[in-house]
Amino acid sequence: MPNTPAEKKRVLTRVRRIRGQLDALEQALEKGTDCGPVLQQVAAIRGAINGLMAGVLESHLREEFVECAGDRDAASGSIKNVVSLVRSYLR
């Protein structure tokens, strides 16, 4: 999770933007908008979600590796956690 107030604000701003995109998509579907613009909106939402995921993942990685600096066993465990996260992200 974002730790600093600036990171938290940035993540919340991104979530609110995604919510707005989803609302616009819902309205387009209700109006019966053609498939092309709907698909573009879906692709934009997917990109926004991927960006959100990348930002949270980056924050998590920074936090994990700072905490275990200097402790080889802890670093090994953190690396396993990171690999697990990345694998679940790529599914």
Side-chain angles (χ1 to χ4, degrees):
M1 285 303 296
N3 293 319
T4 67
E7 285 178 351
K8 185 175 182 177
K9 182 178 180 180
R10 191 171 37 250
V11 168
L12 287 172
T13 299
R14 187 173 287 221
V15 167
R16 290 180 183 121
R17 189 177 313 123
I18 292 167
R19 182 182 300 134
Q21 289 176 306
L22 286 168
D23 290 343
L25 176 61
E26 181 180 6
Q27 289 173 3
L29 291 171
E30 287 175 348
K31 290 179 183 177
T33 303
D34 290 336
C35 289
V38 168
L39 289 171
Q40 286 178 329
Q41 188 66 26
V42 170
I45 292 167
R46 183 182 60 199
I49 292 290
N50 286 343
L52 174 64
M53 178 72 149
V56 172
L57 180 61
E58 179 184 350
S59 178
H60 176 72
L61 292 175
R62 253 187 281 118
E63 181 181 314
E64 282 294 311
F65 287 110
V66 166
E67 285 182 10
C68 67
D71 185 353
R72 190 173 215 119
D73 291 333
S76 177
S78 289
I79 290 169
K80 287 179 185 177
N81 290 338
V82 168
V83 169
S84 175
L85 270 173
V86 170
R87 284 183 181 163
S88 67
Y89 175 72
L90 294 175
R91 287 184 196 181

